Amino acid sequence: MISIVLLGTGNVAKHLFKAFLGVDELDVLQVIGRNEGHLSHFRNKVATGTDFTKITDADIYIIAVSDDAIAQVAPYLKEKKGLVVHTSGSVALKSLGDLNSKGVFYPLQTFSQGKTIDFKNVPICIEAEHKMDINLLKKLAGLISLEVHEITSEQRKSLHLAAVFVNNFTNYLFTIGHDICTENNLPFSMLRPLIKETVDKLEELSPSEAQTGPAKRNDVKTMESHLNLLKNKNYQDIYSLLSKLIGEKYGQKL
């Protein structure tokens, strides 16, 4: 049995908590967070509190807070004997300071409130200084996921950067598409099969091989028509820049 204390009450903490509850070999002892209201999500299921000086003893302490707050929470765990990890994709292991046992437990996924995640398919990236801690993290990660990867802080930063491009930036492009549909009385749902096929193709093709569209084939008239349809200057700039970069990649001059 691995005992766990969760420090944080945001989306990552909530999703991890739910995943841990479904595993007999894991025991979540306590959830600590500064926001009393957010703790209501965990009440009646586990002990909760807002006082970081009253953290119970556990095998693993998981700091699931904003990146800027990690260094503020870590000192409260200085006297603890268990392994202290954070869940950030962009914060180095050394940010946890001079703790005896420290590591990283980074689930590579986007977490939104109200959207259930199947952790079995979520890559979990782990890092620690000691072999014993690595083995503990492998065991913990393996109990909820089929994909466990031991990577360095530098690799994780690069992975997080890639994730911002394929998730956060892509989702903003979906927002632009949603705006265009709304402005023209079209249901955004019509685009969902296209979005799904765009992602599904990556099971068989590289992103470079899967690229299609007017910029790749140098369809200047279509691109000019699209730019004329766009009334938002920022959207025009995004369209022009992406078209230029795609064209250059495939040998077109736009």
Side-chain angles (χ1 to χ4, degrees), residues 202-216:
L202 300 180
E203 296 288 341
E204 301 176 18
L205 303 172
S206 71
S208 181
E209 292 170 330
Q211 186 69 55
T212 61
K216 182 182 178 182

Side-chain angles (χ1 to χ4, degrees), residues 113-124:
Q113 190 169 348
K115 177 65 173 67
T116 301
I117 295 292
D118 181 4
F119 261 89
K120 289 297 181 187
N121 300 314
V122 175
I124 297 181

Side-chain angles (χ1 to χ4, degrees), residues 1-7 13 16-17 19-21 23 25-32 46-47 55-64 82-83 85 87 105 136-137 139-141 143-144:
M1 180 75 71
I2 300 174
S3 58
I4 300 168
V5 168
L6 273 174
L7 305 163
L16 282 175
F17 180 70
F20 292 155
L21 283 186
V23 181
E25 295 92 332
L26 301 178
D27 186 14
V28 182
L29 303 178
Q30 186 184 44
V31 177
I32 299 287
V46 66
I55 300 172
T56 193
D57 292 334
D59 296 319
I60 300 180
Y61 303 89
I62 300 179
I63 302 175
L83 173 60
V85 300
T87 60
F105 189 85
L136 180 57
L137 289 178
K139 183 177 180 181
L140 172 62
L143 287 170
I144 63 172

Side-chain angles (χ1 to χ4, degrees), residues 81-120:
K81 294 181 179 179
L83 173 60
V84 179
V85 300
H86 70 65
T87 60
S88 170
S90 59
V91 176
L93 173 61
K94 64 182 181 182
S95 68
L96 290 173
D98 58 355
L99 297 171
N100 291 326
S101 294
K102 57 189 175 185
V104 178
F105 189 85
Y106 169 52
L108 178 58
Q109 186 54 275
T110 174
F111 297 102
S112 297
Q113 190 169 348
K115 177 65 173 67
T116 301
I117 295 292
D118 181 4
F119 261 89
K120 289 297 181 187

Side-chain angles (χ1 to χ4, degrees), residues 149-166:
H149 303 269
E150 184 181 349
I151 63 175
T152 67
S153 287
E154 289 305 313
Q155 288 176 313
R156 183 163 35 82
K157 286 181 181 179
S158 297
L159 185 63
H160 187 257
L161 172 60
V164 168
F165 271 94
V166 303

Side-chain angles (χ1 to χ4, degrees), residues 57-240:
D57 292 334
D59 296 319
I60 300 180
Y61 303 89
I62 300 179
I63 302 175
V65 298
S66 65
D67 290 357
D68 292 341
I70 291 173
Q72 300 171 22
V73 172
Y76 289 105
L77 300 161
K78 204 166 185 178
E79 303 302 321
K80 297 296 183 182
K81 294 181 179 179
L83 173 60
V84 179
V85 300
H86 70 65
T87 60
S88 170
S90 59
V91 176
L93 173 61
K94 64 182 181 182
S95 68
L96 290 173
D98 58 355
L99 297 171
N100 291 326
S101 294
K102 57 189 175 185
V104 178
F105 189 85
Y106 169 52
L108 178 58
Q109 186 54 275
T110 174
F111 297 102
S112 297
Q113 190 169 348
K115 177 65 173 67
T116 301
I117 295 292
D118 181 4
F119 261 89
K120 289 297 181 187
N121 300 314
V122 175
I124 297 181
C125 303
I126 61 172
E127 182 183 4
E129 295 177 321
H130 307 299
K131 183 64 177 177
M132 184 173 63
D133 294 335
I134 284 290
N135 290 338
L136 180 57
L137 289 178
K138 283 182 178 179
K139 183 177 180 181
L140 172 62
L143 287 170
I144 63 172
S145 174
L146 297 174
E147 276 206 55
V148 182
H149 303 269
E150 184 181 349
I151 63 175
T152 67
S153 287
E154 289 305 313
Q155 288 176 313
R156 183 163 35 82
K157 286 181 181 179
S158 297
L159 185 63
H160 187 257
L161 172 60
V164 168
F165 271 94
V166 303
N167 174 247
N168 304 135
F169 291 169
T170 301
N171 191 74
Y172 184 72
L173 296 181
F174 293 160
T175 301
I176 294 176
H178 189 278
D179 289 347
I180 293 170
C181 286
T182 301
E183 291 166 3
N184 292 276
N185 297 314
L186 293 164
F188 179 74
S189 60
M190 291 177 65
L191 294 174
R192 290 196 181 111
L194 175 62
I195 294 170
K196 185 177 185 302
E197 175 61 17
T198 301
V199 175
D200 287 349
K201 278 196 296 186
L202 300 180
E203 296 288 341
E204 301 176 18
L205 303 172
S206 71
S208 181
E209 292 170 330
Q211 186 69 55
T212 61
K216 182 182 178 182
R217 61 178 181 264
N218 198 27
D219 188 345
V220 176
K221 286 187 177 180
T222 296
M223 289 186 284
E224 288 178 347
S225 174
H226 286 169
L227 285 170
N228 288 331
L229 283 172
L230 289 169
K231 306 306 178 186
N232 185 307
K233 177 63 166 56
N234 290 331
Y235 293 177
Q236 288 178 344
D237 290 343
I238 291 172
Y239 186 100
S240 295

